[in-house]
Amino acid sequence: MPSDPTSSTDVAAENDYDLFAEGYTAVNETSLLNAYYTRPAIVNLAGDVTGRRILDAGCGSGPVSAALRDKGAVVVGFDRSAKMVELARQRLGDDADLRVADISRPLPYPDGAFDDCVAALVLHYLEDWAAPLAELRRVLKPGGRLIVVVNHPIMLPFLDRKTDYFATTKWTDEYDFNGQKATLTYWHRPLHAMTDAFTAAGFRTAVISEPPVAPEAHELFPDDMAKFPSGAFLSFVFFVLEAA
């Protein structure tokens, strides 16, 4: 059951991926939620990316960057965790343009530098979306796309029936990533608050997606997928936004 952290100063420590980067990476290389749900859905939403310059915001150890690069994109990435950037460099090569940067602060890229941006499982750690979205809009070319993946707004009310769906609510959850313990702090917000934030930052919402898993997940995770014969479940919600 999610619980509230005791103070806002806990957030940086609890979401310190440097402490469990290796475990998180190892688990999610082949996990249902990451390898057979989030990543293939992002690649599918991105479509033909041949030659497109893409910023992977909050790139982690680089699996999304690698998948998009395999499709022909020129990928640049950053993450707040230096350890995650180190792991991403091991995956993508020493010549990859990977930097340590914080999405809640000004980004080290010029205006209009990218055709597309991806912010996968990043914004839901933040209470304030205004500054991060403004920066992502700034570094996109006019007409560029931002693909956002965040916790589905139904998730916290499903886990804790006392949750006010319409309130912006801070909550935490505990994890074990391959033996490395982690506490992650999230911010729940209703769907309309998400789309309002996108509009205020200068984006047009082109797609809202609740995708199914990759087809092979049914064979690889038969017990889990027996609960979801259609291949769809509510874990994350995916957006494709267009820079106005």
Side-chain angles (χ1 to χ4, degrees), residues 10 18 45 89 118 141 218:
D10 294 333
D18 284 342
L45 288 169
R89 189 163 282 115
V118 175
K141 295 178 180 177
H218 292 274

Side-chain angles (χ1 to χ4, degrees), residues 3-23:
S3 59
D4 286 336
T6 57
S7 73
S8 60
T9 58
D10 294 333
V11 175
E14 290 165 352
N15 292 341
D16 187 355
Y17 273 80
D18 284 342
L19 301 177
F20 50 87
E22 296 96 335

Side-chain angles (χ1 to χ4, degrees), residues 142-188:
R145 300 176 303 169
L146 171 60
I147 299 174
V148 172
V149 187
V150 291
N151 286 335
H152 199 288
I154 200 63
M155 183 158 60
L156 182 59
F158 178 79
L159 293 172
D160 183 356
R161 300 302 175 90
K162 296 178 292 184
T163 299
D164 179 357
Y165 171 83
F166 293 101
T168 299
T169 305
K170 182 166 56 177
W171 61 285
T172 66
D173 212 350
E174 306 292 329
Y175 300 87
D176 185 319
F177 295 120
N178 208 32
Q180 292 183 318
K181 303 294 184 181
T183 300
L184 296 179
T185 298
Y186 306 101
W187 286 89
H188 158 85

Side-chain angles (χ1 to χ4, degrees), residues 131-143:
L133 287 172
E135 274 296 278
L136 294 175
R137 172 63 188 86
R138 180 186 65 79
V139 301
L140 273 172
K141 295 178 180 177

Side-chain angles (χ1 to χ4, degrees), residues 10-187:
D10 294 333
V11 175
E14 290 165 352
N15 292 341
D16 187 355
Y17 273 80
D18 284 342
L19 301 177
F20 50 87
E22 296 96 335
Y24 180 88
T25 297
V27 167
N28 289 318
E29 286 298 307
T30 57
S31 71
L32 172 60
L33 279 180
N34 289 74
Y36 297 95
Y37 177 56
T38 305
R39 290 202 290 275
I42 290 171
V43 170
N44 181 60
L45 288 169
D48 183 3
V49 294
T50 304
R52 294 182 73 83
R53 186 170 170 83
I54 299 179
L55 176 64
D56 189 357
C59 64
S61 62
V64 171
S65 291
L68 293 171
R69 191 175 68 175
D70 288 347
K71 293 292 185 179
V74 178
V75 183
V76 172
F78 73 87
D79 200 277
R80 189 179 72 174
S81 165
K83 184 62 179 179
M84 281 295 196
V85 171
E86 177 186 328
L87 294 174
R89 189 163 282 115
Q90 292 174 17
R91 184 194 303 270
L92 298 168
D94 290 337
D95 59 341
D97 186 351
L98 300 168
R99 310 185 193 188
V100 177
D102 190 333
I103 196 171
S104 65
R105 300 179 181 276
L107 298 177
Y109 309 105
D111 296 357
F114 300 100
D115 299 298
D116 302 308
C117 293
V118 175
L121 310 182
V122 175
L123 290 178
H124 54 212
Y125 294 124
L126 305 176
E127 180 181 12
D128 177 22
W129 284 15
L133 287 172
E135 274 296 278
L136 294 175
R137 172 63 188 86
R138 180 186 65 79
V139 301
L140 273 172
K141 295 178 180 177
R145 300 176 303 169
L146 171 60
I147 299 174
V148 172
V149 187
V150 291
N151 286 335
H152 199 288
I154 200 63
M155 183 158 60
L156 182 59
F158 178 79
L159 293 172
D160 183 356
R161 300 302 175 90
K162 296 178 292 184
T163 299
D164 179 357
Y165 171 83
F166 293 101
T168 299
T169 305
K170 182 166 56 177
W171 61 285
T172 66
D173 212 350
E174 306 292 329
Y175 300 87
D176 185 319
F177 295 120
N178 208 32
Q180 292 183 318
K181 303 294 184 181
T183 300
L184 296 179
T185 298
Y186 306 101
W187 286 89

